[in-house]
Amino acid sequence: MNGFHDIGGMHGFGPIDAQRNAAPYFDDWERRMFALDMACGTLDLGNLDQWRHTIERMPATAYSQASYYERWLHCLEALLVEAGVLNTEEIATRMAEIVASERVVVEEN
């Protein structure tokens, strides 16, 4: 069965921006996402095929607009909820706390 995620080799999506020797992370949150994903690997949330299937269940619009690590985040959140480790309210509350703590106040001159 083909889904929206099966776009490899299709034309019309523009060139791939392959940057040689580029850093593996564009932003610090991506580094943290990778570490969180590795840490959650000890929770037995499923095998690689289950992780991939979870990402492939993303709605097409969300999938097409998400970055690589945003897809990882979606997957990890879904698997944690499905396993009963967290619920959506706990995730939303913690995300709001993180966003609030990282706000930068710009002083006017």
Side-chain angles (χ1 to χ4, degrees):
M1 176 173 84
N2 289 335
F4 183 80
H5 58 277
D6 293 319
I7 59 175
M10 289 182 148
H11 296 282
F13 291 96
I16 295 173
D17 184 16
Q19 300 173 3
R20 294 190 183 270
N21 302 318
Y25 311 104
F26 291 108
D27 293 310
D28 284 338
W29 80 268
E30 293 175 334
R31 181 185 327 261
R32 291 191 304 265
M33 180 64 240
F34 181 81
L36 183 60
D37 187 68
M38 295 298 106
C40 286
T42 63
L43 298 176
D44 192 29
L45 297 174
N47 61 33
L48 183 60
D49 291 331
Q50 290 165 306
W51 285 67
R52 179 177 174 173
H53 178 67
T54 303
I55 291 174
E56 292 170 352
R57 289 185 295 168
M58 288 178 73
T61 303
Y63 186 93
S64 68
Q65 295 174 354
S67 70
Y68 182 75
Y69 286 106
E70 287 171 334
R71 292 179 188 139
W72 278 37
L73 177 59
H74 168 85
C75 176
L76 187 56
E77 286 178 359
L79 289 171
L80 288 168
V81 169
E82 291 168 8
V85 176
L86 295 171
N87 62 48
T88 55
E89 293 80 20
E90 292 169 320
I91 293 171
T93 299
R94 183 62 183 129
M95 289 302 295
E97 291 169 357
I98 291 168
V99 169
S101 71
E102 293 186 359
R103 289 200 176 127
V104 177
V105 176
V106 179
E107 295 181 23
E108 293 183 28
N109 292 330

